Amino acid sequence: MFHDRRLAAILFTDIVGYTSMMQKDEFHALTIVRRHNSVVQENSKKHGGEVVNFYGDGCLAIFPSACEAVQSAVDIQKELRNEPVVQVRIGLHIGEIFFEDGKVIGDGVNVASRVQSLGQGNTILVSGEIMDKIKNRSEFKTVSLGLFEFKNVDRPMEIFALDCESLYVPKRDTIEGKLKPDSSKNKQKVQHKTRPTIIALIAFFLISVFAYYQFFRENGYTGIEKSIAVLPFENTGLDSNYEYLSDGIPRDIINKLSKISAIQTVTGWASVRIYKKTLKGIKEIAGELGVSSILTGTIQKHADNLHIIAELIDVKTGKRIWGDDFNSKMGDLFIIQSEVAQKISDALKSHITEEEKISIKKNYTENIEAYKHYTKGRFFMDKRNKENFDSAEANFNKALLIDPNYALAYVGLADCYTINQKGLTQMEAVPIAREYAKKALLLDSNLSEALTTMSFIQVVLDYNWKEAKKTLEKAMALNPNYPLAHIYYGNLLHFSGESTSRGLFETKKALRLEPLSSAVNWVLGRNYFLSGYYDSAYVQLKKTLILEPNSISARGVMAMTFLAEKKPAEALDFIKQLPLNGNNPQQEYQIFYLNNAYALLGDSARARVELEKLIIDKTTINKHCLIAQGHVFLGEYAKAIKELEMAYADRELRLYFITVNPLFKPIRNMPGFIALKQKMNLQ
């Protein structure tokens, strides 16, 4: 009898060469199988799937989403390329499945198995049904392998190979599998009859390709890869008062390029700024950032004249793709930035829509003095501490005094209050941020930076998840390479409970755009922790600490990961290494983690002493969530709920991820917690 009939995306894996492996070294073969099974199971779960059958040398997994199934397959192959390497072929199809006696059966399963049989090591093959679901996802590049006639399948099927993430794309004439016998015979006949013609065509094709390749290798950029990093410009003649220009100009070029959807990756400013005055070569930098082209530049200022030299380099060949000199007045700076962005896009052979052309030509002020103060404001914000935030706010205000219609300066002020280094509660700070963001959007309703900031406000102040999602989707459509939008979108999908896997995917996309940003690396580590992927969290947080060894945020989440895994001794050792002292504004973190660790060690008395320090500390604000967590570790659940209600009244930022924080698991089913979720629109 069949049970639970449903439509699913079906993923089949098979270990290549397993039989001969068993004959040669049984122990090694079993090690390979265990690694394969572990990787497949972990990645299927991460993407909302379920492994329903393990075979001797493969497995069957099902997913509710085709995109998640394909992403899981990509992640599986990527991980299995690490030592010990496991050569696997993967096939995917969508079809009806049935459960009988604990096994999954159905025509869809049979077809998926046949698709997989065509594969070779490190391949992912998909049916046309899967292709229909992923064809609009730019991260999934595919190549058609043609039509195939499978055994016990009525109609020929077009099969596609994924061509991304270093996957192997098999050649048609090397493919074998569960095909109809007459299909292969017919193919042989056709090959025999047409062999001379085919050989001649292939020879002509190879000669043409070789000539084309040689021409472009020596003369130009192929245009296949469209990814770029714009490095800080070298200051060859500016006094210190104009140092901000050598940062501001490339930063604005980045912002313009990021709005061109045909350019796949535009590395964000937080990752490229570390290369200011670097001694590293272009290839080394490109390798660290994962891009195929690099823009470098120099800037000189003489009186009111600017001399800018820009050069775009193809990393693979080391040759110049494009370059130009610009001599102009300071007032022409905005025209130069737009012109550089347009010429880079042309050099990368990237199609620009009419809307994008308008967008990259748009300048948010025509006043160079206002621009100076805005650029200084962003320069100070990059330093990420209270004193520099005050300087940033002052410069944004000066920009607005000069040009009251400068929308980006309003966004800068809004960001000063969303990041909130003002010693205010969120309930005090975020409404101020909202007013500034509103002013920016009144001036330009399509300003992606303002939309992104507004989406954050819609969540943390109003808990209006649906409206925030719409706002973010508009922001990303206008600026597809804006890292902060992808971070907020990933958080929203994850924390609202809509999709953990899609949330992590968006956060990873932000990391591709900002690979060397400690903040983005930390966000991914935190979100792994919140998803329960503790091993991944450890790895990501260690990367963060390499970038920023004294990161309180990264060390704090690392401590929470130890606590979530019930490893209080390790947590305690780690907490004591936190670089904090009594004058540090983050001192509450050390108290909080000590309380949690002592509670898990069973030392309730010492845990209460630490918690009491946090409760009576008058200098610490936005601390109700921390206190609530302390009560949870002590088993004082009613007190924890009361603190969370006060956190809600203050709109504490830590409530943002309350439903996915594993440390709140003991109280998730309590009526007070459920009522709080309802008030936060999380039901």
Side-chain angles (χ1 to χ4, degrees):
M1 182 177 179
F2 296 144
H3 302 282
D4 192 14
R5 173 174 173 163
R6 69 175 104 152
L7 191 69
I10 305 156
L11 180 151
F12 254 103
T13 70
D14 180 68
I15 301 173
V16 177
Y18 178 73
T19 302
S20 61
M21 201 185 304
M22 279 291 286
Q23 292 170 350
K24 291 177 183 176
D25 187 340
E26 186 174 326
F27 178 77
H28 174 68
L30 291 173
T31 301
I32 290 297
V33 168
R34 289 193 191 100
R35 171 161 162 71
H36 163 269
N37 292 353
S38 172
V39 169
V40 173
Q41 191 154 35
E42 179 183 346
N43 280 282
S44 297
K45 179 183 175 185
K46 185 188 298 184
H47 293 283
E50 176 188 3
V51 177
V52 289
N53 289 120
F54 281 111
Y55 307 102
D57 57 352
C59 75
L60 163 63
I62 57 174
F63 297 78
S65 159
C67 290
E68 295 295 350
V70 174
Q71 186 61 53
S72 179
V74 171
D75 290 351
I76 288 166
Q77 289 286 27
K78 184 176 181 180
E79 193 165 344
L80 290 178
R81 286 197 293 271
N82 298 326
E83 292 294 338
V85 175
V86 183
Q87 286 285 313
V88 171
R89 49 180 158 243
I90 298 178
L92 297 107
H93 177 61
I94 293 176
E96 279 199 322
I97 59 170
F98 310 89
F99 286 85
E100 183 182 44
D101 298 327
K103 293 183 179 179
V104 176
I105 59 176
D107 184 58
V109 175
N110 295 332
V111 173
S113 172
R114 280 153 176 71
V115 173
Q116 171 265 114
S117 74
L118 302 182
Q120 297 169 24
N122 196 34
T123 61
I124 298 175
L125 305 186
V126 304
S127 67
E129 286 79 359
I130 290 281
M131 182 63 191
D132 284 342
K133 303 294 184 185
I134 66 171
K135 61 186 177 183
N136 294 323
R137 297 287 291 266
S138 60
E139 68 270 24
F140 298 137
K141 299 180 181 65
T142 58
V143 173
S144 175
L145 301 178
L147 293 172
F148 292 85
E149 293 185 89
F150 293 109
K151 293 177 183 177
N152 303 319
V153 178
D154 294 337
R155 58 184 174 80
M157 294 183 63
E158 186 174 11
I159 303 301
F160 300 83
L162 255 68
D163 185 15
C164 56
E165 296 280 349
S166 302
L167 294 170
Y168 177 65
V169 177
K171 294 180 172 53
R172 170 83 193 216
D173 59 0
T174 66
I175 292 175
E176 297 178 347
K178 299 176 182 178
L179 298 168
K180 289 181 179 178
D182 58 336
S183 172
S184 59
K185 287 177 184 176
N186 290 336
K187 183 174 75 172
Q188 289 171 1
K189 288 178 183 176
V190 171
Q191 287 175 340
H192 177 73
K193 289 178 182 177
T194 61
R195 187 168 292 151
T197 305
I198 290 173
I199 290 172
L201 287 171
I202 289 172
F204 175 77
F205 174 75
L206 290 175
I207 291 168
S208 301
V209 169
F210 179 77
Y212 179 84
Y213 172 73
Q214 286 294 100
F215 172 82
F216 272 104
R217 187 177 69 176
E218 295 300 323
N219 296 287
Y221 179 67
T222 63
I224 296 171
E225 296 182 61
K226 295 177 175 62
S227 56
I228 184 171
V230 181
L231 300 186
F233 282 16
E234 183 183 356
N235 171 9
T236 60
L238 296 175
D239 64 45
S240 58
N241 291 326
Y242 289 91
E243 179 70 19
Y244 67 89
L245 279 177
S246 59
D247 291 351
I249 291 172
R251 184 173 189 154
D252 286 346
I253 293 170
I254 289 170
N255 290 341
K256 289 181 183 295
L257 288 173
S258 69
K259 296 174 182 177
I260 302 172
S261 57
I263 301 180
Q264 296 150 355
T265 301
V266 181
T267 305
W269 176 249
S271 293
V272 297
R273 67 182 180 183
I274 68 173
Y275 295 107
K276 190 168 185 175
K277 299 179 181 177
T278 184
L279 297 177
K280 291 183 177 181
I282 293 294
K283 285 200 172 182
E284 185 178 1
I285 294 170
E288 292 174 354
L289 296 175
V291 294
S292 60
S293 59
I294 296 278
L295 181 78
T296 62
T298 61
I299 178 170
Q300 291 179 316
K301 182 177 182 294
H302 303 288
D304 195 37
N305 295 313
L306 284 178
H307 181 210
I308 298 172
I309 302 173
E311 188 174 47
L312 184 64
I313 304 296
D314 179 359
V315 174
K316 285 184 179 177
T317 64
K319 295 184 178 297
R320 188 168 89 157
I321 305 171
W322 166 84
D324 210 342
D325 283 22
F326 301 89
N327 288 287
S328 67
K329 299 288 186 183
M330 278 284 287
D332 295 330
L333 179 61
F334 309 121
I335 298 171
I336 293 172
Q337 290 169 346
S338 298
E339 189 177 342
V340 169
Q342 176 72 59
K343 289 187 175 181
I344 289 171
S345 178
D346 293 342
L348 294 179
K349 305 183 188 301
S350 303
H351 173 70
I352 303 183
T353 66
E354 288 304 316
E355 292 82 2
E356 289 168 349
K357 285 180 182 177
I358 294 169
S359 181
I360 65 173
K361 286 180 180 177
K362 182 166 186 174
N363 299 312
Y364 286 92
T365 184
E366 298 300 329
N367 189 299
I368 197 67
E369 290 300 315
Y371 172 78
K372 286 179 188 176
H373 287 297
Y374 170 75
T375 306
K376 283 183 179 179
R378 286 297 177 188
F379 174 81
F380 285 118
M381 279 199 78
D382 286 342
K383 297 183 180 296
R384 295 277 166 171
N385 59 52
K386 184 181 183 304
E387 293 73 20
N388 282 294
F389 266 60
D390 290 341
S391 297
E393 184 179 14
N395 274 285
F396 292 140
N397 278 316
K398 286 177 183 177
L400 287 166
L401 281 172
I402 298 167
D403 183 354
N405 294 321
Y406 198 170
L408 281 172
Y410 282 117
V411 179
L413 287 173
D415 290 343
C416 284
Y417 285 87
T418 56
I419 298 171
N420 191 8
Q421 296 283 328
K422 295 289 183 182
L424 303 173
T425 67
Q426 290 294 106
M427 199 61 173
E428 293 167 333
V430 178
I432 298 171
R434 193 212 294 270
E435 290 307 309
Y436 286 131
K438 278 183 178 178
K439 288 179 180 179
L441 289 170
L442 281 172
L443 291 165
D444 183 356
S445 61
N446 289 325
L447 182 55
S448 56
E449 293 90 340
L451 288 165
T452 300
T453 297
M454 182 58 82
S455 73
F456 177 79
I457 295 164
Q458 288 168 332
V459 169
V460 301
L461 191 65
D462 304 329
Y463 301 117
N464 191 341
W465 306 85
K466 289 182 180 178
E467 197 60 35
K469 185 179 179 185
K470 290 179 188 176
T471 305
L472 273 172
E473 286 170 348
K474 181 179 178 180
M476 290 188 294
L478 293 163
N479 192 338
N481 286 297
Y482 188 34
L484 191 60
H486 290 287
I487 289 174
Y488 285 169
Y489 195 56
N491 287 346
L492 185 148
L493 293 172
H494 184 182
F495 302 164
S496 68
E498 182 169 334
S499 175
T500 297
S501 57
R502 284 179 58 209
L504 288 171
F505 174 83
E506 289 294 332
T507 312
K508 290 175 188 176
K509 188 167 185 177
L511 188 62
R512 284 199 295 274
L513 296 168
E514 284 285 20
L516 301 182
S517 162
S518 61
V520 181
N521 274 272
W522 165 72
V523 168
L524 181 56
R526 181 201 63 187
N527 289 2
Y528 275 138
F529 158 73
L530 294 171
S531 306
Y533 301 134
Y534 299 135
D535 289 344
S536 297
Y538 284 129
V539 172
Q540 195 61 46
L541 293 167
K542 284 176 183 175
K543 290 180 183 176
T544 307
L545 289 169
I546 291 171
L547 293 167
E548 190 178 342
N550 292 328
S551 169
I552 299 297
S553 300
R555 289 175 177 271
V557 178
M558 188 80 87
M560 287 200 292
T561 305
F562 284 126
L563 294 170
E565 288 201 294
K566 302 293 189 290
K567 297 177 179 177
E570 290 92 332
L572 196 59
D573 287 342
F574 194 81
I575 292 160
K576 289 177 179 178
Q577 297 172 30
L578 293 177
L580 303 174
N581 56 60
N583 297 320
N584 194 300
Q586 301 292 338
Q587 178 69 11
E588 70 267 20
Y589 281 111
Q590 192 174 55
I591 297 170
F592 159 68
Y593 296 128
L594 286 171
N595 153 254
N596 293 179
Y598 286 134
L600 276 181
L601 285 166
D603 193 342
S604 298
R606 291 187 73 178
R608 281 196 174 84
V609 167
E610 296 299 332
L611 183 59
E612 189 61 27
K613 289 180 187 177
L614 188 58
I615 292 171
I616 64 174
D617 179 12
K618 301 298 183 184
T619 63
T620 303
I621 58 172
N622 300 314
K623 63 182 180 180
H624 294 297
C625 278
L626 295 179
I627 295 171
Q629 217 161 283
H631 285 306
V632 170
F633 273 94
L634 287 167
E636 299 167 348
Y637 298 154
K639 290 181 179 179
I641 296 292
K642 186 176 180 181
E643 290 291 337
L644 289 176
E645 288 169 352
M646 288 188 279
Y648 172 80
D650 284 348
R651 296 298 192 273
E652 282 191 15
L653 190 54
R654 294 182 186 94
L655 278 180
Y656 189 17
F657 48 83
I658 185 176
T659 59
V660 293
N661 187 341
L663 303 185
F664 281 121
K665 190 175 181 179
I667 63 172
R668 282 181 187 165
N669 294 322
M670 291 184 65
F673 194 89
I674 293 169
L676 181 62
K677 283 173 60 179
Q678 289 173 336
K679 288 195 286 187
M680 294 174 64
N681 298 313
L682 284 167
Q683 288 298 99

